[in-house]
Amino acid sequence: MQRGPFTGPTPLVPEDLYAEVLRGAARRERDRIELAPATLVTTNTYWGRLHATYWQRWTAVPQVQVSLRAAGRGRVWLMASDTNKVGRAVAYADVDGPRQVELTGAIDRFVDGGGLWLEFGTDTGELTVSGVEWTVQVPRPPRPTSITICTYNRVEDCLDTLQALLDDPVALARVALVRVVDQGSDPLESRDGFAGVTAAFGERLVYQRQPNLGGAGGFSRGLYEATAGDPADDHDVLLMDDDVLLDPEIVVRLTGFAACTSTPTIVGGQMLNLLHPAHVHITAEYAEPEKLRVGRPVPGALEEGFLLGRDERLLPVVQERRVDTEYSGWWSCLIPAPVVRAIGYPLPLFFQWDDVEFGYRAREHGFPTVSLPGAGVWHADFGWKDWDEWHRYFNQRNGLITAALRTGFDRRTVAATVVELLAQYLVAMQYGLAATLLTAVDDFLEGPQILDDGSVAAAATIRRIRAAYPETTAVPIAEAGLDPREAVVHLAGGKPSKMIMTWLKRAVLQASGRVPFRSGMVPAGEAHWWHVALFERAIVTDMAETGVRIRTRDRERLRELATRGVRTVRRLYTEGPDAARAWKAAEPRLTARETWARLYGEA
């Protein structure tokens, strides 16, 4: 169910995420490591250890066997830890010449935390280790697994991901087929390299073109096709983004774990940050739909955790304690076919919250989700993406839809959340973002019919609406025409203690124009609403730090959006519960196979 690689898929990835040289010197290859004399190497790392606590909690597997090839002179230990990171030796083997090593460890003392890993040591001799495999007895014959990659105008990224799979025959052997759902205007098949990839995959690659229905439409196509016939012929589906840096080892680990769970379980890979590859985004998440909050760290989870770091006892950060997630993002996530058969298909939300809603719906039906440590993909850092983008509409609208379907829809909480967001956007001169929010609320109140086209029209409409607001577009700083006398950097002070009073003061300043600063630059990390509201014109660094957004006080827009906001929030409070009931009544239709068949042009 996993192998023991010693390096990553590229030198851009730190080797110590796989194995760490505690003393001495070692030469690494992907499947092999050579230890010099007086060297100690550990695999108590993100990719190197078996996260046994997840295996004991979610499977009934009693033990694991580790096998490897060794040559030279040294010793191999199978190590274990408990919840508090206290290590112990489970088994060992001495090496004096070439031999096959097999060690067995019980998965029996890890309910709350702990793991298993290998250590290799030498004294006066040299030692070579290769071919590390961790194996278990599966409780039942596993279902076939297919991979579905949804792509939209990321041709080179998608080809790289496909090539990474081809370069690892062992991982590729775990999947029955790879399906690429291409929704872009720049199709994959237009590239010369696609022909070579297609030939290498042969019949195991299925390439499908379809209209752009967003990530929900692309990923749902994989689930739709994998459950098209008799349940005996179903495939589990491993959903995967097109723009990830892929270590194919994740395919082995997700399929291996899913084959052993006691009940059908959604198994998610963790998101590692592409710009900062030693960091994990969030290791276990929950959402608060009524507050439009997603991606909240479960207590005890790592948030932007540094995987090469040490805790206060100088012990490695290895996710020792088990932390159970409530859903998993679909950057790399395995969904068993029985889950789809039992709960239906994802909602046609285009994208944003589709994975969250599906995960919570699965939980309601008794199907858990596991965010599996040691199985990750490198994905563009969320912290370097600016939220003032067109897709914010889907985040807000789909959050409301999820609240209607998966919560009691407390209208006081929902309305208060919209009021808070709108108030902050307006004083921070984010007029386009305010219009985006109000459009999302209006469309939610319109009811389930807004999803009849898979949200294709909504995607075009929100772009057109936002185009009228200049601050929604980032411009290169060299093209911003900044006067150095008016572009002095202003840092924010401390967070105010009385937020409502602070907002009232800022609102008066913005409405009257009596702001302290006529113009100035605000770094991305300082762009809090209470700070930006102090400017007549704020030049705010985009979160990606590739350019700036220029926010300018517009009294007429402020009045117009505030007036509209009052009407919209009043409607949300009075009509929201009825809208929520309409969404709930439409759920069987929205999640039915027939809905996707119609959107795919097959009905």
Side-chain angles (χ1 to χ4, degrees):
M1 39 31 149
Q2 71 179 52
R3 293 170 295 175
F6 295 107
T7 63
T10 166
L12 296 175
V13 172
E15 292 179 326
D16 283 359
L17 288 177
Y18 292 81
E20 183 180 2
V21 181
L22 297 179
R23 67 171 182 266
R27 180 179 179 275
R28 313 172 195 228
E29 299 175 10
R30 174 67 170 174
D31 185 50
R32 173 187 175 95
I33 190 166
E34 299 176 0
L35 282 68
T39 295
L40 180 63
V41 172
T42 181
T43 67
N44 189 23
T45 62
Y46 180 81
W47 287 97
R49 68 191 257 128
L50 173 75
H51 296 267
T53 180
Y54 291 82
W55 281 84
Q56 185 165 354
R57 171 64 182 89
W58 299 109
T59 80
V61 171
Q63 65 181 25
V64 58
Q65 186 174 68
V66 192
S67 63
L68 56 92
R69 295 184 297 276
R73 179 176 297 175
R75 180 170 291 169
V76 178
W77 293 270
L78 177 60
M79 304 291 295
S81 62
D82 63 19
T83 306
N84 297 313
K85 294 190 177 181
V86 179
R88 63 184 187 273
V90 173
Y92 75 93
D94 287 322
V95 179
D96 190 2
R99 62 165 294 191
Q100 184 76 11
V101 174
E102 294 187 353
L103 302 172
T104 301
I107 302 179
D108 61 350
R109 295 178 180 270
F110 305 102
V111 170
D112 290 334
L116 293 161
W117 69 91
L118 293 171
E119 291 188 356
F120 316 114
T122 60
D123 187 359
T124 58
E126 298 179 347
L127 179 67
T128 299
V129 174
S130 62
V132 176
E133 291 186 349
W134 301 71
T135 58
V136 297
Q137 292 293 323
V138 294
R140 59 189 175 275
R143 278 179 302 276
T145 299
S146 62
I147 293 177
T148 294
I149 300 173
C150 174
T151 188
Y152 178 81
N153 291 352
R154 288 176 172 147
V155 176
E156 300 306 323
D157 289 337
C158 190
L159 287 175
D160 287 345
T161 299
L162 291 171
Q163 188 62 52
L165 290 169
L166 286 172
D167 290 343
D168 193 330
V170 173
L172 188 57
R174 300 293 283 267
V175 298
L177 61 87
V178 176
R179 184 183 310 277
V180 176
V181 182
D182 192 340
Q183 303 183 130
S185 56
D186 182 15
L188 211 63
E189 60 186 351
S190 68
R191 296 298 199 275
D192 292 338
F194 182 69
V197 168
T198 301
F201 272 103
E203 295 182 354
R204 298 177 70 184
L205 180 67
V206 176
Y207 178 71
Q208 290 178 293
R209 296 285 306 279
Q210 68 180 35
N212 184 20
L213 296 169
F219 287 135
S220 293
R221 188 60 182 260
L223 300 173
Y224 176 88
E225 299 290 353
T227 54
D230 189 287
D233 299 325
D234 284 350
H235 287 192
D236 293 348
V237 182
L238 174 50
L239 306 177
M240 189 171 294
D241 276 351
D242 57 350
D243 59 342
V244 296
L245 173 59
L246 177 67
D247 187 327
E249 177 64 17
I250 191 175
V251 177
V252 176
R253 299 190 182 190
L254 294 187
T255 57
F257 189 85
C260 297
T261 54
S262 300
T263 188
T265 300
I266 298 172
V267 188
Q270 296 182 337
M271 178 184 143
L272 308 174
N273 290 339
L274 190 59
L275 282 175
H276 307 89
H279 289 76
V280 61
H281 174 49
I282 298 175
T283 57
E285 302 177 68
Y286 73 97
E288 297 175 288
E290 291 175 326
K291 295 183 178 180
L292 302 183
R293 294 175 180 171
V294 69
R296 312 288 286 174
V298 170
L302 293 178
E303 182 179 16
E304 301 305 325
F306 181 48
L307 297 172
L308 301 183
R310 296 287 191 271
D311 66 15
E312 66 279 2
R313 294 183 296 168
L314 299 181
L315 295 171
V317 174
V318 287
Q319 301 182 56
E320 197 74 71
R321 281 185 173 268
R322 195 191 78 251
V323 182
D324 296 334
T325 195
E326 298 191 359
Y327 69 90
S328 175
W330 285 353
W331 40 76
S332 188
C333 181
L334 189 148
I335 299 179
V339 175
V340 180
R341 292 281 186 183
I343 76 171
Y345 294 88
L347 293 171
L349 297 177
F350 200 79
F351 75 150
Q352 303 278 345
W353 285 84
D354 46 343
D355 47 7
V356 179
E357 189 281 329
F358 190 88
Y360 276 105
R361 191 174 0 135
R363 285 172 64 86
E364 290 178 10
H365 286 76
F367 300 110
T369 298
V370 173
S371 177
L372 188 63
V377 290
W378 286 273
H379 185 282
D381 305 32
F382 282 177
W384 285 63
K385 292 185 176 183
D386 203 297
W387 278 110
D388 193 358
E389 296 286 355
W390 66 277
H391 56 69
R392 191 66 166 167
Y393 161 85
F394 288 99
N395 183 276
Q396 294 163 339
R397 187 203 69 178
N398 296 349
L400 291 169
I401 294 172
T402 304
L405 296 178
R406 309 269 75 88
T407 76
F409 200 83
D410 184 334
R411 62 180 177 177
R412 292 178 177 82
T413 301
V414 174
T417 297
V418 172
V419 168
E420 181 181 5
L421 292 174
L422 179 62
Q424 293 175 4
Y425 298 160
L426 290 177
V427 299
M429 299 177 288
Q430 291 181 290
Y431 305 121
L433 192 52
T436 301
L437 171 63
L438 295 177
T439 304
V441 176
D442 288 340
D443 287 357
F444 163 76
L445 293 173
E446 187 176 331
Q449 63 269 24
I450 66 170
L451 300 185
D452 285 349
D453 68 342
S455 294
V456 173
T461 299
I462 196 60
R463 284 187 173 99
R464 185 174 66 251
I465 290 172
R466 289 175 55 84
Y469 298 89
E471 82 282 354
T472 62
T473 302
V475 295
I477 193 167
E479 300 175 11
L482 303 182
D483 185 330
R485 295 168 296 180
E486 298 181 347
V488 177
V489 174
H490 292 262
L491 302 182
K495 185 176 181 179
S497 59
K498 298 179 179 179
M499 300 299 286
I500 294 178
M501 185 62 65
T502 299
W503 182 86
L504 289 172
K505 292 179 179 178
R506 300 296 191 269
V508 170
L509 291 175
Q510 281 288 308
S512 64
R514 297 194 302 270
V515 292
F517 307 111
R518 196 179 84 82
S519 183
M521 293 192 71
V522 179
E526 304 285 319
H528 312 293
W529 63 264
W530 65 83
H531 180 52
V532 178
L534 299 173
F535 295 80
E536 179 83 13
R537 176 174 175 265
I539 304 150
V540 180
T541 306
D542 187 74
M543 286 300 295
E545 297 201 24
T546 57
V548 295
R549 296 172 187 250
I550 300 175
R551 306 186 199 173
T552 305
R553 189 180 73 89
D554 188 326
R555 188 173 181 179
E556 183 58 30
R557 284 211 189 272
L558 177 63
R559 184 196 62 78
E560 170 199 337
L561 289 165
T563 301
R564 178 187 170 190
V566 170
R567 293 196 303 267
T568 298
V569 171
R570 184 182 293 121
R571 281 190 64 211
L572 179 62
Y573 188 82
T574 56
E575 302 174 24
D578 287 341
R581 284 189 284 272
W583 280 101
K584 192 65 178 175
E587 181 180 348
R589 173 178 66 82
L590 294 173
T591 61
R593 183 176 181 83
E594 291 74 20
T595 291
W596 285 110
R598 175 178 56 78
L599 291 171
Y600 296 142
E602 297 186 0

